[in-house]
Amino acid sequence: MFSLFRTSKPDQVTTLNLVDSARTTSGQNPSSLRAGPRHTLPSEQDRTLSAPARQWLRRLPTRDRPLALCSMYPRLANRLAAAWEDPAQAEAVFEELMIDRRGGRLGFAPLVAGELMRLHLLHEKRLEPGKGG
């Protein structure tokens, strides 16, 4: 298993930070709780699930479909879907999501964190010899 957020130093592991949904006000997206100003507004492409991501989602086993991720973070789902067929690229996306190189990230809601863990396990299974993707 892995921790969703680690520092970039392998000997220093940061515990998983989860957004406390009780602290968010209704209608407030957890991603809007990030510290510091946002430099650009998200594009329409970042706010919606792409057609290739929807196809990727339908191809995943039903129990492993990251519906909360797609709903709350479509930009990340789009990136995972685009990288999914290239094992090295997919691993790089997972690593970027799991390792906090900037410091101070709040993390994901528990449901999204669980979905990312299941997706990562599915990704690792695909890489096992004789399993195929």
Side-chain angles (χ1 to χ4, degrees), residues 60-118:
L60 291 173
T62 303
R63 69 184 177 282
D64 294 321
R65 291 179 183 168
L67 301 178
L69 174 73
C70 292
S71 172
M72 296 171 69
Y73 303 98
R75 181 181 66 84
L76 297 181
N78 291 341
R79 287 184 57 216
L80 268 172
W84 192 253
E85 294 304 319
D86 180 338
Q89 191 177 5
E91 188 62 30
V93 173
F94 279 115
E95 186 173 308
E96 184 180 325
L97 294 174
M98 293 184 287
I99 298 174
D100 183 3
R101 288 191 170 85
R102 297 180 295 182
R105 283 186 171 177
L106 292 175
F108 296 99
L111 185 57
V112 173
E115 288 178 346
L116 286 169
M117 284 188 243
R118 282 191 304 281

Side-chain angles (χ1 to χ4, degrees), residues 2-131:
F2 60 89
S3 173
L4 276 184
F5 286 104
R6 298 182 304 230
T7 61
S8 57
K9 298 175 186 168
D11 58 332
Q12 294 180 337
V13 176
T14 304
T15 58
L16 176 65
N17 285 325
L18 301 174
V19 173
D20 182 358
S21 59
R23 291 185 348 194
T24 63
T25 59
S26 83
Q28 188 176 17
N29 185 336
S31 62
S32 68
L33 298 176
R34 288 190 189 101
R38 224 187 141 104
H39 296 291
T40 60
L41 292 175
S43 69
E44 180 62 28
Q45 182 177 340
D46 289 342
R47 292 189 310 263
T48 59
L49 201 59
S50 68
R54 288 192 301 272
Q55 291 173 347
W56 165 76
L57 189 62
R58 284 190 293 273
R59 287 193 307 263
L60 291 173
T62 303
R63 69 184 177 282
D64 294 321
R65 291 179 183 168
L67 301 178
L69 174 73
C70 292
S71 172
M72 296 171 69
Y73 303 98
R75 181 181 66 84
L76 297 181
N78 291 341
R79 287 184 57 216
L80 268 172
W84 192 253
E85 294 304 319
D86 180 338
Q89 191 177 5
E91 188 62 30
V93 173
F94 279 115
E95 186 173 308
E96 184 180 325
L97 294 174
M98 293 184 287
I99 298 174
D100 183 3
R101 288 191 170 85
R102 297 180 295 182
R105 283 186 171 177
L106 292 175
F108 296 99
L111 185 57
V112 173
E115 288 178 346
L116 286 169
M117 284 188 243
R118 282 191 304 281
L119 276 176
H120 191 258
L121 289 172
L122 180 64
H123 165 69
E124 287 179 333
K125 274 188 202 177
R126 295 181 321 140
L127 302 180
E128 290 175 7
K131 292 287 183 181

